[in-house]
Amino acid sequence: MSFWTLEVPVVDLAGQQSSRLPDHWQASALPNSHEAAQTVYDENAQAPKSDENGELGQRIEALAGEVKERLEGTSVYLVGMMGSGKSTVGKMVGGALNYPFLDTDSLIESSAKCSIPEIFASDGEDAFRELETQVLQQLMPHKEVVVATGGGAVVRAVNWGYLHHGIVVWLDGPPELLARRAVGDGTAKRPMLAQGGAAAQEGGGEYEAMVARIQCLLQQRGERYAAADLRVSLAAGPGAAPDTGAPAAVVTWRLLHALNERLKADAAERKAASEAEITITQEGLPPGMRVVPPVDREGAAPAA
């Protein structure tokens, strides 16, 4: 089982058009540092705190309507560490936008007919990463989908060529929060976190070992995650314990809000650029070049 080729059963997307970014979204290169340009949602900004009387759900629905119109059919890819809630939030975002939701890990397991831990055990991480790349390649042509990727999908540079056919959103949480979720879910289905469990068995506490393992992975992957178009915080907010995260509905609102602000800013920038007038003067032109006067509607150059 050393060589894998997948045919991904991507729900029923046969009728969808090929995916492409709108002209104003440019695929960015991998950054050299965490200073990559992103739209960042600040959890300290005004945001819904609760869902009394369905208020948050109503706000998400209204916001999703604006976002969907501005997306122009572009897909959304979620990246982030294990435990960042990509599947949970992805399902909510997909539901709000009326986009199908897909999970690359689930697609791999469905196509390979075995679990991810079994793939790691029998063929190793490299084999799994190759399957992951195949899945992203097959998802690339489809529009109007929300895709949750595996935690390590950002590591391979080739994957970014597929991810940037959509808008990439990084769900970013503190190590303490991610570790708390990983310990709660169990690490058996998360091979990349299993080393944290091994460390705990050797004498350290499971939670503390998991925090250390996640911090290590974040150091390795941080620059890759920072290549995302948007970064959305999972933190609960000011004064909250670092292992406490915001509810999934609030994170969904944050994501849609950040996406909407980015799309609006891009639209305003394009409008300003189209309205700007560029004046070229004779001064500074090389010898032999001159400024040609504009031609009027009658086809004749205006009198000097």
Side-chain angles (χ1 to χ4, degrees):
M1 203 162 58
S2 299
F3 299 96
W4 294 77
T5 300
L6 296 186
E7 289 297 332
V8 180
V10 186
V11 205
D12 183 17
L13 302 179
Q16 295 205 25
Q17 300 176 359
S18 294
S19 176
R20 63 178 295 274
L21 284 172
D23 293 337
H24 52 281
W25 283 82
Q26 299 297 324
S28 59
L30 287 173
N32 293 321
S33 71
H34 290 251
E35 298 176 357
Q38 301 174 14
T39 298
V40 180
Y41 181 82
D42 182 0
E43 64 271 17
N44 296 317
Q46 183 63 36
K49 301 298 183 184
S50 64
D51 195 18
E52 295 181 4
N53 303 318
E55 178 186 354
L56 179 53
Q58 294 171 8
R59 294 178 67 176
I60 288 175
E61 183 178 357
L63 186 56
E66 294 183 43
V67 171
K68 185 172 183 178
E69 183 176 352
R70 292 190 171 101
L71 277 174
E72 303 174 12
T74 303
S75 296
V76 177
Y77 289 84
L78 304 182
V79 301
M81 285 288 296
M82 297 80 77
S84 59
K86 298 184 294 293
S87 294
T88 301
V89 172
K91 290 175 183 176
M92 298 183 73
V93 172
L97 295 174
N98 197 26
Y99 279 14
F101 169 75
L102 301 169
D103 184 293
T104 58
D105 284 352
S106 296
L107 290 173
I108 290 172
E109 291 185 330
S110 176
S111 298
K113 305 281 192 297
C114 61
S115 69
I116 289 174
E118 289 172 336
I119 296 173
F120 267 76
S122 62
D123 293 280
E125 182 183 356
D126 288 345
F128 172 76
R129 296 298 171 207
E130 179 58 34
L131 298 181
E132 194 169 51
T133 296
Q134 290 181 36
V135 169
L136 290 172
Q137 182 180 24
Q138 294 184 46
L139 291 178
M140 176 186 65
H142 299 290
K143 294 183 66 173
E144 298 185 347
V145 292
V146 175
V147 179
T149 66
V154 298
V155 173
R156 276 190 163 193
V158 65
N159 290 346
W160 284 95
Y162 307 133
L163 293 172
H164 276 309
H165 276 72
I167 298 170
V168 186
V169 181
W170 174 21
L171 299 184
D172 181 25
E176 294 82 0
L177 170 62
L178 301 176
R180 184 67 67 192
R181 290 178 175 179
V183 170
D185 293 342
T187 60
K189 60 180 181 180
R190 303 181 188 274
M192 294 302 296
L193 295 182
Q195 296 180 29
Q201 294 177 3
E202 293 175 3
E206 183 178 11
Y207 171 71
E208 291 76 12
M210 192 60 60
V211 170
R213 175 60 179 157
I214 289 174
Q215 287 174 333
C216 179
L217 287 173
L218 282 171
Q219 288 177 353
Q220 296 170 8
R221 300 174 178 175
E223 292 182 358
R224 301 305 198 214
Y225 288 136
D229 300 299
L230 308 174
R231 178 167 64 86
V232 175
S233 172
L234 303 176
D243 64 347
T244 304
V250 173
V251 176
T252 298
W253 185 90
R254 291 176 179 178
L255 189 157
L256 292 170
H257 174 75
L259 186 52
N260 201 38
E261 292 301 305
R262 168 69 181 267
L263 291 167
K264 287 194 295 185
D266 282 356
E269 184 178 341
R270 293 197 312 278
K271 182 179 179 181
S274 66
E275 294 175 349
E277 293 184 359
I278 302 176
T279 302
I280 301 177
T281 63
Q282 188 68 40
E283 182 180 358
L285 288 178
M289 295 184 65
R290 63 188 181 89
V291 176
V292 178
V295 177
D296 64 17
R297 292 183 179 178
E298 304 300 325

